[in-house]
Amino acid sequence: MSNNFTRTSLRSWTYHDTVVEVFPMQKAPFPTTVEWLFFRKEQLAIQTSDLIYSFILTSKESGDILAVFHCLPDTHGWVSPACAPFGGIMPAGKCDVTQLTFLLTCVREWITDHGGKMLTIKTAPSCYAPLIHELCHRSYLAAGFLPNHTYSNHYIPIADQAFERIIEPAERRRLAKGKKSGLSVAIKPSIYDKPTEDLLHCCYTAQGYTLPVPRGKMVHIINALPDHYLSFTTLLGNRPVATALMVHVSDTVLYHFLSGFLPEFRSLSPSLLLFEAAYELGRASRIQILDLGISLDHHGNQKPTLAGFKKRIGGIECPKIIYRARF
């Protein structure tokens, strides 16, 4: 991850043995490895057509990149990320609270100088990396960012036990009923075809919801890094009755992005088979966490019934924090 400082940045700041530089994202130096998908240049590039600014914290001594931060102006202030499940600080090397606070202070100064009045940062669930979460949390607070909202995020740790052993008895019976009725699951890697999109659209529409990603845009998102996306479909015979789109956020995290089922098949609980397939895929690979996400309805309000379902299938709660600072 060695770098030199002959490259052209928009501005730089120096503090003790570190330097922060800001670049247009497309011209920014990136760490040689970026663990989480939503911090990768290819994925950032398709989040928005607007200019993203990348702040790079680097060691003056070694030239190693220690951390990165991406943000851009929006209609209601500056945001990180543009359009992704999370953004914020991405530590890329060994760094401490003081260094990350310096990085955030530079971000604040840049935004203020460009007329910004507020920065909102949506972070990853704490279960992804608890130690990094705590380090960044302390840095946000030290730099004047306060938790604006803390969501309850559910995740399932991938264990040696089979899925049917970690879910509650009532869900176990529903899972068995669905299988006896002839339900099965097909998994397609790197594919989001029109039948899958049409099925998701039908599932959402039938329940009075709107797909959070406009029709046609999902293919564009997946094509940026197709190997990170998986499509799961529950079939009754040859008929698709439920589907889910999962994302390999990293080698160890599988994130449940979108899913839906046709209401007329509710009694067969077709979604249970989707989560069982994702969990068992994790058991057969390096995946350690199945991230079920936060539980909101289509208006952005808490949905207790969805949170209850996640808990019954083995979901554990952890915080997912949105930070905000006004300047």
Side-chain angles (χ1 to χ4, degrees):
M1 291 190 288
S2 181
N3 294 272
N4 58 59
F5 301 110
T6 59
R7 55 188 183 244
T8 302
S9 59
L10 299 174
R11 185 174 173 184
S12 66
W13 300 259
T14 300
Y15 177 75
H16 291 177
D17 60 346
T18 56
V19 61
V20 170
E21 297 173 285
V22 58
F23 299 84
M25 186 275 295
Q26 294 287 15
K27 297 183 179 180
F30 270 57
T32 53
T33 58
V34 178
E35 181 179 5
W36 292 346
L37 173 68
F38 302 114
F39 287 101
R40 297 182 185 178
K41 184 173 286 190
E42 301 94 328
Q43 196 70 24
L44 285 163
I46 53 92
Q47 290 178 18
T48 177
S49 58
D50 296 328
L51 175 62
I52 297 175
Y53 293 93
S54 297
F55 295 79
I56 313 297
L57 174 70
T58 310
S59 166
K60 290 171 63 179
E61 181 179 351
S62 67
D64 289 348
I65 294 176
L66 303 178
V68 300
F69 186 93
H70 309 284
C71 61
L72 76 161
D74 197 7
T75 53
H76 302 294
W78 287 60
V79 295
S80 175
C83 181
F86 60 84
I89 300 170
M90 186 199 81
K94 187 176 181 180
C95 46
D96 56 32
V97 170
T98 301
Q99 293 168 327
L100 295 182
T101 303
F102 168 53
L103 169 63
L104 291 167
T105 301
C106 297
V107 173
R108 289 186 60 137
E109 183 176 327
W110 174 268
I111 291 174
T112 302
D113 288 349
H114 285 74
K117 304 296 184 183
M118 182 174 67
L119 172 59
T120 301
I121 302 170
K122 182 166 55 175
T123 64
S126 64
C127 63
Y128 282 25
L131 294 179
I132 290 178
H133 169 81
E134 180 60 26
L135 172 66
C136 292
H137 177 67
R138 292 165 57 199
S139 304
Y140 289 127
L141 297 181
F145 291 83
L146 297 176
N148 177 256
H149 197 97
T150 301
Y151 290 106
S152 176
N153 191 95
H154 284 84
Y155 71 99
I156 302 177
I158 306 297
D160 292 335
Q161 288 182 304
F163 182 74
E164 63 181 17
R165 304 314 308 170
I166 70 166
I167 63 179
E168 293 188 359
E171 300 301 330
R172 197 176 304 149
R173 290 192 292 270
R174 293 187 183 98
L175 180 64
K177 176 183 176 181
K179 291 180 178 179
K180 289 179 181 178
S181 300
L183 294 180
S184 61
V185 175
I187 303 175
K188 301 177 183 177
S190 311
I191 291 177
Y192 185 72
D193 51 20
K194 190 174 186 301
T196 301
E197 183 175 59
D198 289 345
L199 177 57
L200 262 178
H201 178 72
C202 288
C203 293
Y204 271 70
T205 301
Q207 299 186 57
Y209 298 165
T210 300
L211 271 175
V213 180
R215 288 171 67 89
K217 186 176 181 180
M218 184 57 65
V219 172
H220 180 56
I221 294 174
I222 292 175
N223 284 344
L225 287 167
D227 292 343
H228 288 264
Y229 293 85
L230 291 169
S231 173
F232 295 74
T233 303
T234 302
L235 303 166
L236 182 60
N238 293 322
R239 182 178 180 182
V241 298
T243 189
L245 187 64
M246 306 276 183
V247 185
H248 274 292
V249 176
S250 70
D251 289 342
T252 59
V253 177
L254 185 65
Y255 166 54
H256 165 245
F257 183 36
L258 293 171
S259 67
F261 64 90
L262 297 175
E264 59 264 39
F265 297 96
R266 182 187 302 272
S267 63
L268 299 181
S269 304
S271 293
L272 273 173
L273 277 81
L274 298 174
F275 290 107
E276 180 187 43
Y279 179 89
E280 295 300 335
L281 177 69
R283 290 182 68 208
S285 62
R286 296 174 54 193
I287 297 170
Q288 300 173 6
I289 291 172
L290 175 55
D291 178 12
L292 304 178
I294 56 180
S295 302
L296 304 179
D297 63 18
H298 58 301
H299 295 299
N301 300 317
Q302 293 289 336
K303 191 174 182 181
T305 54
L306 179 56
F309 169 73
K310 292 175 180 178
K311 183 178 179 180
R312 293 194 301 274
I313 64 171
I316 298 173
E317 291 184 74
C318 74
K320 178 180 171 65
I321 303 176
I322 294 179
Y323 297 88
R324 179 170 291 168
R326 298 182 184 274
F327 313 135

